[in-house]
Amino acid sequence: MHSILISGAAQGIGAAVARLFCHQGYKVGIYDLNTTLAEQLAAKLGSHARAGYLDVTQYDSWQTALNEFEDWAGEINILVNNAGVLYSGNFEQIPIEAHHRTIDINIKGMMNGCHAAFSFLKRASFARVINLSSASAIYGQADLAVYSTSKFGVRGLTESLDIEWQKYGIRVMDVMPLFVHTAMVHDMQAESIKKMGVHLNAEDVALDILNLVQRKDHLLTPTHRPVGFRSQFLFQLSKISPQFINRLTNLWIARKF
């Protein structure tokens, strides 16, 4: 039985991933700062789920969580770097502390997870890393400047490690949803969410993660998986359009009329 450890798993996309994989027979690690919610979810899912504390910004917290989960599950097969935060609005009006927190959690937290988990994944019989990126990593988004920056960081590290770790049999991939019905998008101050709308739920993202993990032709599986039609369209458009077209498209998305 394969196992999966998910950061930020007490609610939202992380919780949807935990529920889906548990129902598919995986041993599931529900790790979060909010241990109360994590334990409540684990209790609902039953004996194949384990809850634990994880502060992704702290490397030693990752080490503790990984050791605990491996002792319980036997080995760690899948790591999902899901924990993240989002601040929206004009870049200069958001406190610099919020920008720093975005980088600390969304980039450094993921980097900590990949680095700390490497030795566990390397000795596992099957190993995958799935990082939560975003459609905002296709082109920098106005009113989401640092969040978008952080997701470009996720995209870059994912691409690099997917090549580096191929020799160990570890695939590193990401999912790139547009806006998802979670607490993260509540009261967002960005014109893009008004233009593009919210058409995905957490279960849509979880299903794409399951599909990535279970694909048999893993060597042919793309590193990036845009989630939903709108994200797929923007991702493909960015590949074939001149840069000025991409800029004009995103200028229209961001502009208030």
Side-chain angles (χ1 to χ4, degrees):
M1 182 186 300
H2 288 157
S3 70
I4 178 171
L5 187 153
I6 311 152
S7 70
Q11 53 192 325
I13 293 172
V17 174
R19 287 190 292 267
L20 179 60
F21 275 79
C22 194
H23 293 156
Q24 291 289 320
Y26 289 77
K27 293 182 178 179
V28 176
I30 302 166
Y31 282 80
D32 202 287
L33 280 172
N34 191 330
T35 53
T36 300
L37 283 181
E39 288 167 0
Q40 290 173 356
L41 178 57
K44 291 178 181 178
L45 294 180
S47 61
H48 284 177
R50 175 187 175 89
Y53 174 81
L54 175 60
D55 179 350
V56 299
T57 67
Q58 302 300 313
Y59 193 78
D60 59 349
S61 184
W62 270 108
Q63 292 175 308
T64 299
L66 289 160
N67 278 300
E68 287 177 355
F69 185 65
E70 186 186 55
D71 287 344
W72 177 78
E75 66 177 9
I76 300 175
N77 302 110
I78 306 158
L79 170 65
V80 177
N81 282 303
N82 168 73
V85 294
L86 180 152
Y87 295 94
S88 61
N90 295 335
F91 170 78
E92 69 279 6
Q93 293 177 358
I94 297 173
I96 192 64
E97 293 81 7
H99 290 321
H100 288 175
R101 184 168 184 259
T102 300
I103 298 301
D104 287 343
I105 295 174
N106 295 8
I107 297 183
K108 293 182 180 179
M110 175 206 58
M111 180 179 66
N112 286 341
C114 290
H115 194 277
F118 171 70
S119 60
F120 297 86
L121 296 167
K122 183 181 177 183
R123 61 176 173 258
S125 58
F126 169 88
R128 298 287 183 270
V129 177
I130 309 295
N131 296 320
L132 265 291
S133 186
S134 165
S136 67
I138 298 172
Y139 195 95
Q141 293 299 298
D143 301 322
L144 296 170
V146 176
Y147 177 79
S148 186
T149 298
S150 73
K151 294 306 182 179
F152 270 94
V154 172
R155 177 175 177 170
L157 189 63
T158 299
E159 291 175 357
S160 301
L161 293 184
D162 195 31
I163 295 171
E164 280 194 35
W165 290 359
Q166 182 177 339
K167 59 181 175 286
Y168 304 113
I170 304 171
R171 282 299 312 269
V172 183
M173 298 167 283
D174 62 33
V175 288
M176 306 174 77
L178 198 54
F179 301 112
V180 182
H181 280 288
T182 66
M184 185 176 282
V185 303
H186 290 172
D187 303 318
M188 265 187 59
Q189 299 178 37
E191 189 66 20
S192 54
I193 196 170
K194 300 175 184 176
K195 292 277 181 63
M196 304 300 290
V198 183
H199 301 278
L200 296 172
N201 56 45
E203 289 70 26
D204 294 322
V205 184
L207 185 59
D208 268 20
I209 291 174
L210 179 66
N211 289 337
L212 275 180
V213 168
Q214 293 188 336
R215 280 189 62 158
K216 301 301 182 183
D217 57 339
H218 68 93
L219 292 177
L220 299 177
T221 303
T223 305
H224 306 298
R225 188 180 183 102
V227 181
F229 171 77
R230 287 165 177 78
S231 184
Q232 292 167 10
F233 174 77
L234 291 172
F235 187 72
Q236 295 303 324
L237 181 66
S238 70
K239 290 182 177 181
I240 61 176
S241 297
Q243 186 177 0
F244 80 93
I245 294 295
N246 291 328
R247 182 179 182 277
L248 289 175
T249 300
N250 284 275
L251 186 62
W252 173 83
I253 291 172
R255 181 172 291 172
K256 297 179 181 180
F257 291 97

